[in-house]
Every structure is written in structure tokens, then in C-alpha cells.
Amino acid sequence: MQKELSDFLKIAYEHGKVKELKEAFKEYPVEEEWHKGKLENVLKEDNKSYNSYKIGDIVFVKEYIYPDGKVGNNHFFVIIDQDNTAVPIENFGMLVSSNLNKLKFNSNKMLEKDDMNNLHKDSLIKTDVIYKILDEQIIFKIGIVNHEKIEEYKNSFYNSLKNKNSN
């Protein structure tokens, strides 16, 4: 672990809460999402590809290739931190899911669709795990969440650590 990482990421790594992208797709299968992981379901004329992404961006991320060679599907994430010392830059995101049944978990936070985030449906942010996302895994940006929401998600992450440690 590099000393240049933010305090937030250092804590996430220390608690084993930074996961590989494929883990997100196991726990939140795209088949349960409104978009079913299909690019054609979310693509709009104004979707833009960027050369770089920022904290607060909601991005559509492509999955990896399974061991059997089958290509996985896509999912939304919000970028909550970055490691700018890595080349290429590593993004760290929290999964965005439209499966509101999972709001029953304290670490999942509601995100209502609006003109900033450009989500098609009210969704949730899974705040108890951070996923590593490389720029080349991002297909496009769909919208943004403001700094206050990012701080809310980080605080929820810290609370999930405290609750786990007190049990």
C-alpha cells in the first residue's frame, strides 16, 4: 500500500474493504438491475466518453472476462476516491444498484434519480465496500453526485466498520 493514498483508502485497505471489481458483480448481479447490464439499455445520444474521471462521477463500468472466456456484464458505480499516483489512475467506487429491496441493509443509502445523476430509476449506493476501477474499465459517465453525498457515503462506510467492530 502506498503512503500517498488518502486516509479514507488507507482505512478501507486496513479493514479489507477494497475489493476487485468482479466481487461487485457476484453480490449484485446485473440480471437484477433494470438495465440488465446491457449497454443499449442505458446509452443515450449525450453519453460522453472522457479521458479521465473525477470523484462524484457516476460511471457505467464493464466487467471482466470470466475464467471460461465468457464476457461479463456492466454496472453503475460512483467514484468516491482516486489514487492519482498509480499509472493508470485507479478509481475507487461504490456500487449503484436499482434493486431497492436491498435498502434493508444499513450500509445501503438511497439515491433518488435527478437531473444531476441522470439515473433512470431511484437507486441505492452500497457503502460498505469499495471497488477498484481502472479508467479503461469505464465505458462512459452518466452523471454526478455532489460532494455532500460523497461525504455521506464515506461516513456510512465508517459507520459500517464501527458496527462490524462492535458486534
Side-chain angles (χ1 to χ4, degrees), residues 39-81:
L39 193 58
E40 60 271 19
N41 290 344
V42 296
L43 216 57
K44 296 183 197 172
E45 286 184 27
D46 58 348
N47 288 126
K48 295 182 183 126
S49 266
Y50 293 84
N51 291 332
S52 64
Y53 299 90
K54 300 182 300 231
I55 294 171
D57 286 350
I58 297 177
V59 294
F60 201 52
V61 175
K62 63 182 173 183
E63 234 292 51
Y64 62 103
I65 296 176
Y66 290 94
D68 65 1
K70 185 176 165 188
V71 176
N73 284 313
N74 311 301
H75 231 306
F76 290 114
F77 291 82
V78 61
I79 297 173
I80 52 114
D81 211 330

Side-chain angles (χ1 to χ4, degrees), residues 1 6 12 28-29 43 66 69 76-77 92 95 104 106 108 146 154 160 164:
M1 181 171 30
S6 70
Y28 282 75
L43 216 57
Y66 290 94
F76 290 114
F77 291 82
F92 295 86
L95 183 125
K104 64 186 175 193
N106 289 337
N108 291 342
N146 63 33
K154 286 182 176 182
S160 72
K164 184 181 175 196

Side-chain angles (χ1 to χ4, degrees), residues 21 59 75 103 114 121-122 127 136 145 149 163:
L21 197 55
V59 294
H75 231 306
L103 274 172
D114 64 26
K121 292 187 163 213
D122 291 344
T127 67
E136 62 261 18
V145 296
K149 285 275 188 203
N163 292 339

Side-chain angles (χ1 to χ4, degrees), residues 74-138:
N74 311 301
H75 231 306
F76 290 114
F77 291 82
V78 61
I79 297 173
I80 52 114
D81 211 330
Q82 294 178 310
D83 177 1
N84 293 324
T85 63
V87 178
I89 291 176
E90 283 184 321
N91 301 289
F92 295 86
M94 291 178 173
L95 183 125
V96 178
S97 173
S98 61
N99 186 351
L100 297 183
N101 292 332
K102 295 191 177 189
L103 274 172
K104 64 186 175 193
F105 301 109
N106 289 337
S107 59
N108 291 342
K109 300 298 172 200
M110 181 74 169
L111 177 61
E112 294 178 353
K113 67 178 183 165
D114 64 26
D115 291 339
M116 265 181 59
N117 62 38
N118 294 319
L119 292 171
H120 291 243
K121 292 187 163 213
D122 291 344
S123 298
L124 63 82
I125 306 296
K126 179 178 169 36
T127 67
D128 62 335
V129 178
I130 314 303
Y131 299 98
K132 287 195 285 186
I133 304 166
L134 299 175
D135 279 354
E136 62 261 18
Q137 293 173 302
I138 298 173

